[in-house]
Amino acid sequence: MGPSTANRNTVTAENCVQASAIAGFRAAFIACVASAIPTLAAVRTIPWAKANLNYTGQALIVSGASIAAYFITADKTILEAARKNADARYDRRT
């Protein structure tokens, strides 16, 4: 493995990390909006939610959905990039 191959691998890894972070933030933003609207609406209209979900509970619901969306999407993006890189290396060798 020469210096150009190591440099190419580093650049590919950095691009993969950046792409996964961007995709993760995008998914987290969508999940935040998608979970905040029903949560806030439920707290104002449903008596059980009004009585049992304080501000901390509401924040945990919204942040839990956002965090899960970020990590799931970032993981899927990294795995997809790794699969593409492995396929490209295999095709290059044959």
Side-chain angles (χ1 to χ4, degrees):
M1 186 158 86
S4 64
T5 305
N7 189 20
R8 187 174 342 135
N9 290 344
T10 304
V11 169
T12 303
E14 288 175 1
N15 290 341
C16 173
V17 169
Q18 280 185 340
S20 67
I22 290 170
F25 283 127
R26 189 174 296 142
F29 177 75
I30 293 169
C32 178
V33 172
S35 64
I37 293 171
T39 301
L40 295 175
V43 167
R44 286 170 185 41
T45 58
I46 300 172
W48 178 90
K50 221 182 254 191
N52 293 314
L53 290 177
N54 60 8
Y55 295 121
T56 305
Q58 295 170 33
L60 286 173
I61 291 170
V62 173
S63 64
S66 299
I67 291 168
Y70 175 81
F71 282 112
I72 290 170
T73 305
D75 187 47
K76 283 184 177 183
T77 306
I78 288 171
L79 290 174
E80 181 182 342
R83 193 174 300 116
K84 285 181 184 177
N85 291 337
D87 290 343
R89 283 186 188 161
Y90 180 73
D91 290 341
R92 202 177 313 142
R93 289 181 186 165
T94 58

